[in-house]
Structure formats: C-alpha cells, structure tokens
Amino acid sequence: MRLVGRFVAPTLIVLAICAVVLYNLRDRFLMAEREAATAAATSAAIMSAASAARAAYGDLVVHDFLGAHHAPGAQRSRGVLRKSLAQIKKLSRSPSLSAAVKDVSKLVLSRRPVRPREAVISAAFGVLQAAAAKQSEDRRTATVRELSHLFNEAITFVGAAILVSMLIYAKIGVQMSRPLRQLLGFADAVAKGDKPPALPTAPLRSDLGRLVTAFSQMLTALQTDRRALERLAYRDPETKLPNRIGFVRDIDKELETASDEKEPALLLLLHFPQLQQLEALFGDDYRRALESAIAKRLQEARSRALREKSNAPLIIGRPRFDVFAVFGSRESALHTSAVRQSFRTPAMVGDNQVLLEPRAAAARGPEHGRTAFELLGAAEVALAGAKQSGATVMYRAEIREEAIAARELEAKLRLAVDRHQLEAFYQPKICCRTGRILGAEALARWRGEDGQLISPALFVPSAERSGLISRIDYLVLRAALEETAKLHAAGFAVSIAVNFSAVTLGDPRLPDIVQAELERAEVPSEALEMEITETALVSDVNGAKARLEPLRAGGVRVALDDFGVGYGSLASLRSLPIDTLKVDRSVLPKDETDSDAIAIAEAVFALAERMKVRTVAEGVETEWQARFISSHGCDVAQGFLFGRPTPADEYAKRLEEDARCWTSAQVAGRMF
C-alpha cells in the first residue's frame, strides 16, 4: 500500500491538470460554436440584404424605363435599396465588401436615372455579392480552422495525460513486480532442488507479506518432506541403517574422499537366511526384533573399531532383506573377524535366545572393483557360494564364471522343462529275500544338445534355486505312471517310486495332482510310492501330514528318503506319516571292518522293525553289503550292484529277463 500511495499524488495532479485543460477546451469549443453560428447568420443576412437590394434595383430600372423616375414606387424602391445597403455595410467585416457597398450606393442612390448606367451598376452589384460570398466563406474557414486547432490541442493533452499515466503505472508495476520476481526465482530454485535466494521483505499484514510468509512455510514443509523422502530412499525403515542405495552412496563418498584411490578396502556381506524362516514362524514383530539385534551388534562392532583405530571407520548398511554389510579400509578389515565373532553368542529376543550365525562373503577394492556398485556386485557373487557358519568366502573370478555358467544352465533347463525334454530313468529295487525285481525308482534325467546326459548333481540344485523342481517332479510322476501302466498291461506287477522335493511337498495342490495323475494313467494307488527327504518332512510335519494322509488313505505309500543324513530326531520320527524307511548309502558299512557303521546300521534296521515300517537300503554296491542288509531284516535293496538307472525300454527288457527266471506261481501275491 505504501508503494502504491507513493504515486497517488502525482497521478491526481496529472488528472487535475488534464481536467482543467479539457474544461478550458470545452469553453473554447462552445465559443467557437457560437461564433460559427453568428457568422452563418451574418452571412445569411448579408446575402438576403444583397438579394433585396438587387430586387429594389430591378424595380428602379423598371420605373426609369417607364419614365417614372420620381414616382412614389421608385422612391420606395430607393428606400428599400438604401436600407439593404446600410444593413450590408453594418454587417460587413471585410474592406472589399465595404468598398463594394460604397460603390453601389454612389451609383444607385443618386437622383439620376439608373438605366443609362445599368451595366456599371450591375457590375457593382456583382462585386457586392462576390464580396459578401467571400466574407461568408472566410468566416466559415476561420471557424473550421479554430475548431481543428482546438481538437488537436485536446488530442495532444489527452495523449500526454495517457502517456504520463502509463509511465507512472509502469513504474508502479516495476516496483510491485520486483518482489514477485524474487518469489518466482525462489520457487524455481526450490523446484530445481537448488539453494533458494533470500525472500523479499514486506509488512506481515500486507498482501505481499502474507505471500512471503506462505512461501516461507512452504519451504519449511518441503524441506521436512525432503528429509523424510531421503530417509525413505536411503535408509532401511526397520534398522535405520543405510539401505542398498544409501550404502552405495556412502561407500562412493568414502572412496572419493580417500587420500589414495589405490588404498585397499574391504566389503563384507553377512547373510542371515534365518530371518525369512523365523518371520514365517513367529511373525513380523519377532523378525523386526531380530533385525534390531543384528543392527545393534554391527553398530557395537563399528564403535569398537573406531575406538581401536579412529582413522579406519566402518560403514554398515542393509543392502537386502536378509543381508547386512560392512565396509572399511584394509586396516579396518582386520575387524571383520571381530564382526563375525560378535554373532557367535545368542541374541535375546523377548524371552528367547536366538543364535544368528551368518554366511559371510567379501570383496577387496580396488582389486575386485573401484566403485561401490562393483564391490557390492563382486561380494554378492561370492555370497552365493558361501556356506552356513563357514569361513568367509573371498570373491574370485572363478566364482563369477561359475555363477554365469549356473545362469546359463538354468536358462537351458527352463527351456528343456517347457519342451518336456527331460526323461525318466528307472533304477531297479530288489527284494532282499527273493532277489526278484519289485519295482523301480523313477529318476529325472536330462540330455544336453550333444545327446550326453547332464549330471543331476548339476541341474537338480539349479532346479531347486529357480523353482523348476516342482514342474520336474510332476513331469517325472506323469512319465513314471504312464510307463508303469504299460508294464502292468504287459503283465509286470511292479511298483514305482517317485521323488518329491520339499517345494513340491509344500504345494497345497499336491494331493489333487497325484490323484488326478493316477486316474489318468489308470494305475492303482498301491503301485505308487512317494519318496520325500527327511529334511522336507521334518521342516513342516503338520503340513506334510495334511497333504500326505489323504493319499496314504487311498493306498499311496510314503517313503522317508535319505534317512540318516538329515537333522530329524528319533522322537519326531514317530510322528512322521511314512510307510517306508529308505536308509541312505552313508549309513551302510563298507565292509566287515567298519564296526561303527555296522553298529549304526544294525540299530537303524532294528528301529524300523520295531516301528513296523518297510526298509529300503540304497547305494548297495557290493555282495557283502547285500548279504549284510538281508541278514539284518532289510526288505528291499537298491544300488549299482543290481543296476544303474536306465531308460524305460532297457528297464522293460530287464523285467523280461527277470520274469524268465521265475514262474508266475512263485511271485503270486508279492506285488508290493
């Protein structure tokens, strides 16, 4: 308001001057209009008087022609002529008109007859009328000129007033727009993320002051939101540690500020695979408490490192859900062993003690990378090969090559599964009492592009990592049941055992799929045995029961595979839904000198007999092992001694050879 008021007085003065000038021009216009009217009336009167004088002169000419020069009519005409000329003379404003009136008066108003001088008098009257017309035209021209002059003056004053007003208000606009331009620059800097300039000053109660206050509040809110967004973008919300983006940023800053770009550094990754499992078992709150405990131990390790060597700081972060990281110089890397040692003791979570021993992998800089991204990538490659609770795995180029080869293998395996290029091979299972083939175990086999078999030790782990294992299990199940149906139709009363992974066992569709495949192949349920590892069963006993009991009730048998290599206890063994105990090859003794293995194997077979479950010994490779298991009550033997896994046609030939050694009466009732 003060800015506007500064220019109000000059504006009012200009407007007042314009008003006075326009008022004066108005008076002059009115005066000129009256003068124009008077001039027009005068001209009309002169022209009328001139006409009357001419008419009177005509009468005089007539009287002279009649010789009545002194007649009363002639006297009246002279009177009219005299009066008209007097009026013209009175109204005359030009010397030429006055002179013409004088000449006409001399010629006409004398007492001499006018007829002899008619030509001269007519000429004088012509001069009189011409002078009268000229005076009228001059008066009209002067009036028009005066009006035009007044109009030009009015236009000039109005234009000057408008120009002055525009200059005044332009200056007002410049003064008013300066703080607005400052506010615009402020907003533009805030939008670009730059440091904003200072806000203009203005009274708080003014409109501009309120606008400045609003901009200041907006900046405060934006800065608050930006800090919150940075926390979300660069910090893990649970532990408040830098997340992957923030961790990479902090490492890059440390590398940029390092005095020597060749200064050695070390990045350590700690993988806690238990987090996801414990979250599934005990919920989010339990998992968050574990995360806080891990973060606290890492921060304590960093504090110890700073106390012991202040110029070797450690940067800690959480690049993934179940992975924590520590970065420092090579000197600070000496503390990485202390970092791992800090997790040797259990952590208290509520009333429980939890032992969290991480898998660890590391990468060295600049040998394995000059940027945080390169170092983190190298350490993650090494982490893929780290073992639980084992030594820290240092990155090597071979690990990356192996990882690339594993990815390529996974891609080829996925394509092979999509195209149903995997085969089912069959390894015979022999009755220990009779030596007869009772059935076989169906095993997945994969031929490469060169036609050679790819080892299951290579593609099975890849299938488990990629999630393809369930599809492979179901493909083998279908192929095995189709082959079993053919063998039954050919008169071979054999059973078939199919492996099911832990992932497949966790599939809620498992009972329906198995039952549908049995019906599709028209194979009796009693002919199918599902082999499931001890680890898969023990990890979720209740879930396994829920999915296996319906199948067992229908006649399908369940075998506990690889017994002796898992971590299940004998107490939990009683609650497992199994019909067969399949003893792992590692439990069998090599020969009669392996006394410890003999004692363990005897205990296992005795346990199975007491539990009334059938036993299958796998990995039987020698005659001595065959006699040993048979003498200790083992029911079925399987191993290279009796046959390697073979394609379906070779397995059928083996059954034909076996059948020729036995009569149908001898094997009646020994199907399963």
Side-chain angles (χ1 to χ4, degrees):
M1 294 302 294
R2 290 187 300 176
L3 183 63
V4 176
R6 190 185 305 169
F7 299 100
V8 168
T11 304
L12 293 177
I13 292 173
V14 171
L15 293 176
I17 293 174
C18 291
V20 170
V21 172
L22 291 175
Y23 187 78
N24 179 265
L25 289 174
R26 174 181 172 275
D27 291 343
R28 291 172 65 185
F29 266 112
L30 293 175
M31 186 181 297
E33 185 178 8
R34 287 193 296 270
E35 289 179 357
T38 301
T42 300
S43 298
I46 290 173
M47 295 304 294
S48 177
S51 297
R54 187 68 182 244
Y57 168 71
D59 289 342
L60 286 178
V61 173
V62 172
H63 282 89
D64 281 351
F65 181 77
L66 296 175
H69 181 70
H70 298 287
Q75 294 297 327
R76 285 195 299 273
S77 296
R78 285 190 182 89
V80 172
L81 181 59
R82 188 179 292 110
K83 184 177 179 180
S84 297
L85 291 174
Q87 185 178 3
I88 293 172
K89 183 177 181 180
K90 181 180 178 181
L91 297 175
S92 173
R93 294 291 186 273
S94 65
S96 59
L97 181 58
S98 299
V101 171
K102 185 177 180 181
D103 292 341
V104 171
S105 298
K106 287 180 180 181
L107 293 172
V108 176
L109 297 179
S110 66
R111 295 212 177 253
R112 293 180 296 171
V114 296
R115 188 178 178 188
R117 295 172 293 162
E118 182 177 0
V120 177
I121 293 172
S122 296
F125 266 106
V127 172
L128 175 64
Q129 288 180 328
K134 186 175 183 304
Q135 176 177 307
S136 178
E137 180 65 23
D138 290 343
R139 291 294 299 275
R140 187 184 68 80
T141 302
T143 300
V144 171
R145 187 180 296 111
E146 179 67 15
L147 291 174
S148 176
H149 178 68
L150 290 175
F151 182 77
N152 289 335
E153 286 186 5
I155 292 297
T156 301
F157 277 107
V158 170
I162 293 174
L163 179 61
V164 171
S165 299
M166 289 177 63
L167 291 175
I168 291 173
Y169 283 102
K171 189 171 183 180
I172 293 175
V174 170
Q175 294 293 329
M176 291 184 66
S177 64
R178 182 177 294 115
L180 294 178
R181 289 197 302 272
Q182 291 175 337
L183 289 176
L184 182 61
F186 177 89
D188 186 56
V190 171
K192 292 179 179 179
D194 300 332
K195 182 180 179 181
L199 287 168
T201 57
L204 293 178
R205 295 185 178 180
S206 65
D207 292 340
L208 183 59
R210 287 193 291 271
L211 187 60
V212 170
T213 301
F215 266 78
S216 178
Q217 293 173 348
M218 178 190 70
L219 176 61
T220 302
L222 286 175
Q223 289 174 340
T224 302
D225 292 343
R226 179 170 293 176
R227 286 192 291 269
L229 288 174
E230 285 183 353
R231 285 194 297 271
L232 291 174
Y234 298 110
R235 294 279 171 178
D236 173 54
E238 303 295 344
T239 62
K240 310 306 179 187
L241 295 176
N243 59 14
R244 187 181 187 88
I245 299 175
F247 187 63
V248 168
R249 182 188 63 172
D250 293 346
I251 293 177
D252 282 334
K253 286 182 180 179
E254 181 68 23
L255 293 175
E256 289 174 3
T257 57
S259 58
D260 184 2
E261 65 177 15
K262 295 184 179 180
E263 181 182 356
L266 185 109
L267 175 62
L268 177 71
L269 294 184
L270 302 173
H271 179 217
F272 297 87
Q274 309 96 319
L275 284 179
Q276 190 169 3
Q277 180 182 6
L278 292 173
E279 179 186 25
L281 292 174
F282 303 109
D284 289 342
D285 293 339
Y286 195 87
R287 184 258 306 164
R288 279 192 288 267
L290 288 174
E291 292 169 351
S292 299
I294 293 171
K296 182 179 179 181
R297 295 204 176 186
L298 289 175
Q299 289 165 345
E300 291 172 351
R302 178 173 60 182
S303 299
R304 288 194 299 271
L306 291 174
R307 285 195 302 268
E308 296 174 13
K309 198 169 188 61
S310 59
N311 62 344
L314 289 175
I315 300 173
I316 59 177
R318 188 184 186 186
R320 291 208 314 258
F321 168 76
D322 53 358
V323 175
F324 291 76
V326 180
F327 172 83
S329 66
R330 184 67 59 85
E331 292 178 346
S332 65
L334 298 175
H335 300 285
T336 57
S337 59
V339 170
R340 294 204 62 187
Q341 285 294 332
S342 64
F343 292 100
R344 298 295 184 186
T345 58
M348 289 299 298
V349 180
D351 297 331
N352 301 321
Q353 287 188 340
V354 181
L355 184 61
L356 291 172
E357 290 192 85
R359 296 189 302 144
R364 291 191 301 267
E367 179 182 350
H368 301 147
R370 295 183 176 274
T371 65
F373 182 79
E374 292 174 350
L375 282 174
L376 190 58
E380 286 180 332
V381 170
L383 186 63
K387 302 297 183 181
Q388 181 70 31
S389 304
T392 300
V393 176
M394 184 62 65
Y395 170 79
R396 305 186 316 276
E398 294 80 3
I399 297 178
R400 182 179 295 276
E401 294 173 359
E402 291 170 2
I404 293 174
R407 292 293 181 186
E408 293 176 351
L409 180 67
E410 179 183 323
K412 293 178 180 178
L413 177 60
R414 187 175 299 275
L415 186 62
V417 172
D418 291 339
R419 295 177 177 177
H420 293 189
Q421 293 178 343
L422 271 69
E423 306 175 43
F425 274 39
Y426 303 89
Q427 186 173 29
K429 300 171 74 173
I430 309 299
C431 176
C432 291
R433 291 185 296 274
T434 66
R436 182 70 189 272
I437 298 177
L438 299 179
E441 178 183 359
L443 300 168
R445 291 295 183 265
W446 176 26
R447 294 188 186 275
E449 296 178 355
D450 57 357
Q452 299 297 316
L453 291 175
I454 298 174
S455 172
L458 292 177
F459 74 81
V460 170
S462 178
E464 291 175 343
R465 287 193 303 268
S466 62
L468 292 171
I469 191 65
S470 290
R471 294 179 60 188
I472 294 175
D473 288 347
Y474 291 138
L475 287 175
V476 172
L477 173 65
R478 172 169 291 190
L481 291 178
E482 289 177 351
E483 181 62 24
T484 302
K486 294 178 183 177
L487 294 175
H488 284 186
F492 299 109
V494 291
S495 64
I496 188 67
V498 179
N499 289 283
F500 289 86
S501 66
V503 177
T504 309
L505 184 61
D507 186 357
R509 305 171 301 161
L510 177 64
D512 296 334
I513 293 177
V514 171
Q515 190 60 43
E517 292 295 338
L518 286 168
E519 294 174 358
R520 177 180 177 275
E522 297 181 352
V523 173
S525 301
E526 293 80 4
L528 175 62
E529 184 172 66
M530 300 174 63
E531 293 190 3
I532 299 171
T533 64
E534 180 185 5
T535 303
L537 281 172
V538 173
S539 63
D540 184 14
V541 175
N542 293 330
K545 283 183 177 181
R547 284 178 282 277
L548 295 178
E549 289 296 356
L551 293 171
R552 293 182 70 206
V556 176
R557 286 173 295 136
V558 176
L560 182 63
D561 196 11
D562 299 336
F563 180 76
V565 298
Y567 56 81
S569 65
L570 295 177
S572 64
L573 188 61
R574 294 183 303 171
S575 61
L576 296 179
I578 60 172
D579 305 288
T580 302
L581 200 64
K582 195 169 185 183
V583 182
D584 187 74
R585 69 180 64 239
S586 62
V587 177
L588 297 182
K590 301 296 182 182
D591 51 39
E592 63 274 7
T593 63
D594 196 353
S595 58
D596 292 338
I598 290 174
I600 294 173
E602 289 174 347
V604 169
F605 290 127
L607 174 66
E609 185 177 0
R610 295 292 299 270
M611 293 179 62
K612 295 182 173 55
V613 295
R614 193 172 67 154
T615 53
V616 177
E618 61 179 343
V620 179
E621 298 180 354
T622 65
E623 293 286 350
W624 182 88
Q625 288 177 324
R627 290 193 300 271
F628 173 81
I629 62 174
S630 179
S631 63
H632 286 82
C634 182
D635 300 299
V636 180
Q638 178 183 348
F640 290 168
L641 177 64
F642 307 107
R644 294 177 177 273
T646 58
D649 54 350
E650 295 184 19
Y651 172 54
K653 291 179 182 178
R654 175 71 183 276
L655 289 175
E656 292 175 357
E657 294 174 0
D658 186 70
R660 285 196 292 268
C661 300
W662 300 86
T663 64
S664 59
Q666 289 176 303
V667 297
R670 304 186 66 87
M671 283 179 56
F672 312 110

